[in-house]
Structures are given as C-alpha cells and as structure tokens.
C-alpha cells in the first residue's frame, strides 16, 4: 500500500505482517465491530454450512447445492439467495418460506452444537482484553444469523467480551448489516463515536467503506495480506496477534 508503514517479522516460524495507513491509530476508535468466522474463530465440523441444504430440503422438499456460491464474506441470507439464483429457482418459490428456512437452520445448528467445536485464532483474546482495557466498546458484525453467531461466540468462550451485535437475519447485504451494527454502537458510545470494522474478507472492507468506516483486515481467513491490501484497508495484519505485537513494538 503506497504511503503506508509496514512491519514484517517471524514468529514461530511463520511470517507476521502489519501494514497501517499513515495517521491511523488502530486502537484509538471508540467502538469495534468484529466479524466472527475467519476473524475471531474457526467453527469446525461443517454444522453451519450443512444446515443450508438440509433446511431447504426439509422446508421445500428439494436439495440446494452451494457449489459455486460465494460463502466467505457473504451473509446467511445472501448465501441462500445466491444459491437459489444459481439453481434457477424462482423467487416466488422460496421467498415466502424464507423465514421458515432460516428458523430451521437455527434449530438444526442448535441441535447439533456439540458437533461444532470452535478454534480461537491467535491473539484474539489478548486483543479484546487490550481494547476493553482502553475502554472501547466491542460488538460483533457478522453474516451469521444471530442465534448461530452468538452460539459460536459462546462455544469459543468469548461471549463476555461483546455487548451487542449486527447479524444477517434482517439483512441480505453486508453493508446494511454493518450500518445497523454501527448505529447500535453509537446508541451506546454516542452519535459522534468512531467505529472500526475488523474482518478477514474484502467484503468486510467494502461494507465498512460503504458506511464510511475504517477497517482492520486480518489474514486469518482464506484471503492473504496481499489480497486484502488490494482493497486498501486502513490496517492489514497477518493476525490479531501480529497487530498487537506490532503495537507493543511501535
């Protein structure tokens, strides 16, 4: 990123990278909106993704394939929309039963919660503790349905860090969900509060920019720092662990 300051080093045999736009203090915003999957944690077992097809089969009586559908950075409602579109299933067939499908997804994931172990990414707890210690407001902004998103947070032992969230139950577009979460943050922190989005996909960066919000992008999901930097986030780090370490060194 032209004009940015960059730090690279190695930790545990892996290269860490942090790139910050000049003049941006990553830990000086009033509130932070954290994406869940790929940013805070990795939910294993395929329980969530499997619930899309199984729920549609139960409600509509026909399977729904997700092959070729963009999942990372999408919303649960957006994934369903894109999958139906890809399968050439008319809107009038599924839209009237969308809430029924979503409720079946919630029920399925809750029922199979014991088969969804969660791995927390390096530096997540330490970063949350650091920001909370500075008096920052912490929330989640995720493409997950609310009940599923909070479940993953709870399984990972992170629930106590977050006081609010934005989810996809009512939003297909990620930008709309981010906008809602930012509004919730400002209800608590004040109308003039600065809000920062923390995510792992280009979609997080684009959704934040659509709401005039800065982004901390972390390469703990499927996108590399190089790929994320192409979208010019205010901060790009190989992990929250690397960002926190860089903060301590700078």
């Amino acid at each position: 990123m032209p004009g940015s300051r960059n730090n690279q080093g190695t930790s545990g045999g892996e290269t860490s990278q942090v790139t910050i736009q000049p003049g941006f203090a990553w830990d000086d915003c009033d509130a932070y909106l954290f994406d869940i999957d790929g940013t805070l944690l990795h939910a294993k077992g395929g329980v969530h993704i499997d619930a899309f097809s199984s729920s549609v089969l139960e409600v509509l009586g026909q399977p729904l394939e997700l092959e070729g559908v963009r999942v990372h950075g999408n919303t649960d409602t957006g994934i369903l929309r894109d999958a139906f579109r890809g399968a050439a299933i008319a809107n009038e067939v599924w839209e009237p039963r969308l809430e029924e499908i979503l409720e079946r997804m919630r029920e399925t994931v809750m029922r199979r919660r014991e088969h969804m172990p969660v791995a927390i990414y390096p530096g997540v707890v330490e970063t949350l503790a650091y920001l909370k210690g500075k008096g920052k407001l912490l929330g989640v902004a995720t493409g997950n349905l609310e009940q599923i998103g909070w479940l993953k947070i709870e399984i990972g032992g992170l629930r106590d860090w977050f006081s609010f969230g934005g989810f996809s139950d009512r939003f297909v577009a990620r930008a709309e969900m981010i906008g809602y979460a930012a509004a919730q943050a400002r209800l608590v922190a004040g109308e003039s509060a600065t809000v920062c989005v923390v995510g792992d996909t280009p979609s997080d960066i684009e959704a934040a920019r659509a709401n005039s919000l800065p982004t901390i992008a972390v390469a703990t999901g499927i996108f590399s720092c190089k790929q994320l930097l192409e979208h010019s986030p205010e901060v790009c780090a190989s992990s929250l662990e690397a960002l926190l370490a860089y903060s301590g060194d700078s």
Side-chain angles (χ1 to χ4, degrees):
M1 181 185 303
S4 65
R5 55 192 179 95
N6 181 280
N7 183 71
Q8 291 188 343
T10 58
S11 176
E14 298 181 357
T15 299
S16 63
Q17 179 178 344
V18 177
T19 303
I20 303 178
Q21 288 189 5
F24 183 77
W26 76 269
D27 57 353
D28 199 34
C29 294
D30 298 309
Y32 293 81
L33 306 176
F34 285 83
D35 171 55
I36 296 179
D37 299 289
T39 300
L40 293 174
L41 54 81
H42 171 58
K44 305 177 182 180
V47 172
H48 185 186
I49 199 71
D50 291 345
F52 286 93
S53 296
S54 65
S55 297
V56 170
L57 179 61
E58 291 177 30
V59 174
L60 297 183
Q62 61 186 99
L64 184 69
E65 296 296 329
L66 298 186
E67 184 176 356
V69 174
R70 180 176 63 88
V71 173
H72 299 279
N74 207 339
T75 63
D76 282 3
T77 44
I79 291 169
L80 284 169
R81 175 203 59 192
D82 294 345
F84 282 123
R85 182 180 297 163
I89 298 175
N91 291 354
E92 54 266 27
V93 172
W94 63 271
E95 282 186 342
R97 308 196 70 180
L98 175 59
E99 186 49 48
E100 190 177 350
I101 294 169
L102 296 178
E103 184 57 28
R104 194 62 57 89
M105 283 182 60
R106 299 180 188 103
E107 294 171 354
T108 298
V109 174
M110 292 300 292
R111 186 176 66 250
R112 300 191 61 209
R113 60 186 298 166
E114 293 183 359
H115 301 282
M116 189 171 66
V118 163
I120 306 300
Y121 289 119
V124 165
V125 173
E126 293 82 356
T127 300
L128 296 176
Y130 172 73
L131 291 173
K132 183 72 79 170
K134 289 175 67 68
K136 310 304 182 182
L137 181 66
L138 306 181
V140 295
T142 173
N144 286 264
L145 297 175
E146 182 168 5
Q147 193 170 13
I148 295 174
W150 282 133
L151 177 61
K152 292 177 182 179
I153 291 288
E154 290 167 1
I155 293 174
L158 301 177
R159 184 62 180 87
D160 290 344
W161 294 110
F162 302 104
S163 56
F164 69 100
F167 303 88
S168 68
D169 302 66
R170 294 188 293 141
F171 305 104
V172 173
R174 196 172 193 89
E176 294 179 354
M177 178 273 295
I178 291 287
Y180 172 82
Q184 295 302 300
R186 289 179 174 132
L187 284 176
V188 178
E191 292 184 6
S192 61
T194 53
V195 181
C196 182
V197 173
V198 186
D200 68 295
T201 71
S203 295
D204 293 299
I205 302 169
E206 293 163 3
R209 185 169 294 121
N211 288 279
S212 300
L213 303 176
T215 310
I216 296 172
V218 290
T220 41
I222 68 167
F223 296 96
S224 66
C225 279
K226 180 179 179 181
Q227 291 172 313
L228 293 170
L229 282 169
E230 291 175 355
H231 299 268
S232 301
E234 280 68 20
V235 177
C236 187
S238 51
S239 66
L240 287 174
E241 181 180 46
L243 179 60
L244 197 59
Y246 180 52
S247 175
D249 293 339
S250 59

